[in-house]
Amino acid sequence: MAVALLVAAGSGERLGAPRPKAFVTLAGRPMLDWSVAALRAAGLGEIVVALPDGESAPAGCVGVAGGVTRSASVRAALTAAGEGDVVVHDAARPLVSPALFTAALAALAGADCTVAAAPMTDTVKEAGPDHRVTATLDRSRLWAIQTPQAFRRSALERALDVGDDVLAQATDDAWLVERVGGSVVVVPSTPANFKVTSPLDLRLAELLLAERSIVQAQPE
Ligand code: CTP
Ligand code: MG
């Protein structure tokens, strides 16, 4: 059985809430509880949570102190996790579905690492510091990368065995696998699994989760 690492140690500077982002109340529960529920619904019972100072892990989860960067938090959580393949998820993505965890882990049969991702809908251009466009990328080959990201245990351990300077450069853990020659495969997801970054995202997540509760409360 795989183990889950839920990274929740960020401060949420861009959200600007009075407490760390993953612990902000969202549709009636702390934001990270939505991800814990989705992990459990996918059958992932062992969950290690990387925590910010002053917060504790949800009931039934193991808590560890997070690191200064996101990947340092992943490394801290991994040291407290039992055997097996690993699925890493951002507590800042509370709309994740249980099926996405299952799909990310199933796709590990053919790769060292799998990443949930949504096809790009905007055209992406490259521009210099003067804002002059230098290239238009081929959108049909572009993906917006999300979590969950699933890893063969040995691949993640090897990828994280680097200096803190390298960890600080990583905007996702899959890149750490790529840079040492590991194989990474995309698992199609949707933009609905967005990351709560700004107050607008929080409002949107609130509306979508409230709607989900209403649908679930409907009589048969
Ligand atoms: N995270 C973490 N440890 C860190 C930094 C981030 O565990 N040192 C986690 C966050 O809690 C979040 C996820 O990584 O669940 C994605 O990070 P991000 O959305 O950037 O969250 P914050 O770093 O909290 O937000 P901000 O960058 O606006 O401060
Ligand atoms: Mg951050």
Side-chain angles (χ1 to χ4, degrees):
M1 179 44 75
V3 296
L5 312 183
L6 186 62
V7 285
S11 59
E13 212 169 293
R14 289 168 289 181
L15 185 63
R19 62 190 300 189
K21 180 165 76 180
F23 294 83
V24 165
T25 301
L26 171 61
R29 13 152 66 160
M31 187 184 299
L32 82 170
D33 283 18
W34 291 99
S35 294
V36 169
L39 282 163
R40 289 196 173 129
L44 287 148
E46 185 185 342
I47 304 171
V48 182
V49 186
L51 297 164
D53 286 347
E55 302 287 355
S56 47
C61 299
V62 173
V64 297
V68 254
T69 61
R70 185 187 168 286
S71 289
S73 291
V74 171
R75 190 164 63 185
L78 185 62
T79 60
E83 294 297 299
D85 291 337
V86 182
V87 63
V88 176
H89 185 60
D90 290 332
R93 295 186 188 271
L95 288 131
V96 66
S97 66
L100 196 54
F101 290 116
T102 308
L105 283 164
L108 264 190
D112 294 317
C113 166
T114 69
V115 293
M120 287 298 299
T121 51
D122 290 330
T123 293
V124 180
K125 294 184 191 291
E126 246 176 39
D130 59 354
H131 294 178
R132 194 164 293 272
V133 169
T134 50
T136 297
L137 306 181
D138 174 5
R139 191 172 67 190
S140 68
R141 295 169 56 86
L142 296 178
W143 295 86
I145 303 304
Q146 307 174 343
T147 67
Q149 300 194 349
F151 302 84
R152 290 187 181 282
R153 179 60 165 253
S154 55
L156 184 59
E157 283 174 351
R158 179 164 173 235
L160 291 171
D161 187 17
V162 291
D164 290 341
D165 54 327
V166 176
L167 284 195
Q169 283 175 52
T171 54
D172 75 339
D173 308 300
W175 174 75
L176 294 166
V177 172
E178 289 162 49
R179 67 179 285 285
V180 292
S183 57
V184 179
V185 163
V186 158
V187 175
S189 174
T190 71
N193 180 33
F194 61 87
K195 184 157 70 86
V196 174
T197 303
S198 66
L200 174 68
D201 300 327
L202 186 68
R203 183 88 188 104
L204 198 54
E206 181 95 40
L207 291 169
L208 292 169
L209 287 168
E211 190 180 84
R212 199 187 276 181
S213 310
I214 291 166
V215 170
Q216 281 166 356
Q218 295 284 329
E220 290 290 304

